[in-house]
Amino acid sequence: MSLLIKNGRIITADKDYVADIYCEDETITQIGPDIAPPAGAEVIDAKGKYVFPGFIDPHVHIYLPFMGTYSKDDHASGSRAALVGGTTTYIEMCCPARTEEPGEAFELWNSKAAAGSACDYSFHMGVTRYDESAEKQLRELVAKGLTSFKIFLAYKGAFGVTDDELYNTLKLAKELGVIVTAHCENADLVAAKQAEFVADGKTGPEWHERSRPVAVEAEGVHHFCTFLEATGASGYIVHTSNRPAVENAIRAQKRGVDVKIETVIPYLVIDDTYAQQPDFEGAKYVMSPPVRSKEHQTFLWEALADGRVDTVGTDHAPFDFTGQKDMGHPARGSDFTKIPNGIPSIEDRVNLLYTHGVCEGKISLNQFVACASTNTAKLFGLPGKGTIEVGADADLVVYDPDYRGTLSAKTQQMNVDYSGFEGWEIKGRPSAVTVRGKVQARDGSFVGDQTRGKLLTRPATHF
Ligand code: URP
Ligand code: ZN
Ligand code: ZN
């Protein structure tokens, strides 16, 4: 299998040049001007187009038992959606219940991905309980090549850990050289506020944000960073939504704490007015931490542009509007705390970031690649991913900047009955997307091999 991409403008995190790219089997083997098409090679003319490294989503939920229901995508639909939108690798959160064994949970999550992912994948291993048995299993999973843990300060009673468990998880992570990703919101404060609002009859989706205000997340970030400082572990704050939260992490960095910062595409393009829409429409935009006011959005773009924020993921968590989000509908007792949290966006991240970031001059093309691909590959040890160079995996996105179209639930690959971005214009989209040398998507359609995806792990010897 060989593939030649001709005349494209190649953009990496630090380069911008025109050349041809030749791929043999799964790998880029040559980059240069005027590479003559070898016999039998598939040729893609990328004149007038960009060629980006395959984009990497550091934070998705595909299989997720959560809030009394299950997220709607499986790996077949989730990976197709990822690919048509230019994402060639995603890292899924493996989220066992407290009562479940980490080893079995990993086997379950992994079997679901292995059965149907058309793109490459890895996992952040959720630590939702810490005891001797959990520790032993976590050690085994790291020995198999997992490079990150995930902890929740929120969702007490479901995924959330105690401070004691947090401390022990971080100590183990430090010993094993594993980075710990964290959902940072003070669970007790959230629970108290939720109970107060519901008791006062403040039950609509517009109360979701007010039940988990900016300070609740900022406190969670500070708390996590304090524990990182005490253990010397490396951390990564997922889905950071606001200025004080980012600033608390940066303060910790200045004290020498090794912590990185992720934001997710909903926070960059959607503000709290969406969640305040009447007639339960706001439920489409209920996620945690919540979408915030415009000033935080402006801040996040600036922090992305100057490198304070490292990565942009999605936190893809797809729940239908009808039959799932409506668990909190007035017709069913009106309670925003029962609306499954999440906004589907695995398909739209790259195009929205390009349209609202690059086209509006908020980030450069190089920054776009860095925050949506390269930085994640580096942070989570995904060798061969996140760049375009000889020897790298041939994960490539030929991107058409002249494309104009609109997003809609009617045309999306995601298996969910609404789009949070219904009718939004996008300026550009992938015209060809390859996974290790094979074209998997073209012009908005999946055209590839449904089981091409493979689990990415790092050999234990690395540690
Ligand atoms: O609202 C969200 N974020 N849903 C998915 C679960 C999580 O917290 O990441
Ligand atoms: Zn979360
Ligand atoms: Zn998440």
Side-chain angles (χ1 to χ4, degrees), residues 59 61 64 66 150 152 155 183 239 286-289 315 317 341-342:
H59 183 168
H61 303 272
L64 180 65
F66 187 48
K150 168 75 187 284
F152 293 87
Y155 312 131
H183 176 141
H239 52 36
V286 166
M287 68 175 289
S288 294
D315 196 9
N341 288 196

Side-chain angles (χ1 to χ4, degrees), residues 21-36:
I21 303 174
Y22 184 55
C23 315
E24 289 171 280
D25 297 323
E26 301 195 340
T27 310
I28 298 171
T29 54
Q30 217 183 316
I31 302 175
D34 304 321
I35 301 175

Side-chain angles (χ1 to χ4, degrees), residues 173-215:
K174 167 78 178 160
E175 180 196 327
L176 300 177
V178 164
I179 183 168
V180 179
T181 70
H183 176 141
C184 296
E185 286 181 298
N186 184 304
D188 292 325
L189 259 173
V190 172
K193 286 253 163 225
Q194 284 181 332
E196 271 170 32
F197 286 152
V198 172
D200 287 352
K202 296 169 174 169
T203 54
E206 69 275 20
W207 292 99
H208 174 75
E209 198 277 338
R210 286 170 254 192
S211 73
R212 339 169 71 101
V214 162

Side-chain angles (χ1 to χ4, degrees), residues 182-392:
H183 176 141
C184 296
E185 286 181 298
N186 184 304
D188 292 325
L189 259 173
V190 172
K193 286 253 163 225
Q194 284 181 332
E196 271 170 32
F197 286 152
V198 172
D200 287 352
K202 296 169 174 169
T203 54
E206 69 275 20
W207 292 99
H208 174 75
E209 198 277 338
R210 286 170 254 192
S211 73
R212 339 169 71 101
V214 162
V216 162
E217 185 185 342
E219 193 282 334
V221 168
H222 175 68
H223 191 84
F224 179 57
C225 291
T226 304
F227 278 66
L228 289 174
E229 195 167 7
T231 55
S234 301
Y236 174 98
I237 299 161
V238 300
H239 52 36
T240 314
S241 73
N242 68 76
R243 181 179 204 132
V246 171
E247 287 180 344
N248 275 353
I250 288 167
R251 255 179 234 117
Q253 286 170 349
K254 290 191 175 138
R255 300 196 301 273
V257 175
D258 181 14
V259 64
K260 300 288 190 282
I261 304 170
E262 171 195 277
T263 192
V264 293
I265 195 69
Y267 302 143
L268 291 169
V269 294
I270 292 169
D271 61 51
D272 57 352
T273 59
Y274 286 81
Q276 289 160 7
Q277 291 174 83
D279 301 326
F280 202 64
E281 185 70 12
K284 292 178 179 171
Y285 302 96
V286 166
M287 68 175 289
S288 294
V291 288
R292 306 293 188 188
S293 60
K294 264 264 181 276
E295 69 192 273
H296 295 292
Q297 199 178 89
T298 306
F299 170 81
L300 289 175
W301 279 113
E302 286 164 9
L304 195 59
D306 65 21
R308 280 174 289 173
V309 169
D310 298 282
T311 61
V312 177
T314 54
D315 196 9
H316 177 68
F319 297 100
D320 276 344
F321 187 53
T322 303
Q324 293 188 297
K325 290 273 186 188
D326 61 9
M327 285 154 74
H329 190 273
R332 295 170 76 177
S334 196
D335 185 345
F336 69 86
T337 70
K338 299 213 161 55
I339 300 168
N341 288 196
I343 302 178
S345 54
I346 198 169
E347 190 165 343
D348 306 321
R349 175 185 67 129
V350 169
N351 292 330
L352 287 171
L353 192 61
Y354 180 80
T355 301
H356 293 277
V358 177
C359 296
E360 291 179 20
K362 294 180 185 129
I363 54 172
S364 70
L365 283 163
N366 299 113
Q367 286 165 334
F368 171 56
V369 170
C371 70
S373 178
T374 315
N375 294 349
T376 295
K378 286 184 181 158
L379 284 170
F380 297 107
L382 305 175
K385 304 296 190 190
T387 193
I388 297 176
E389 61 190 28
V390 170

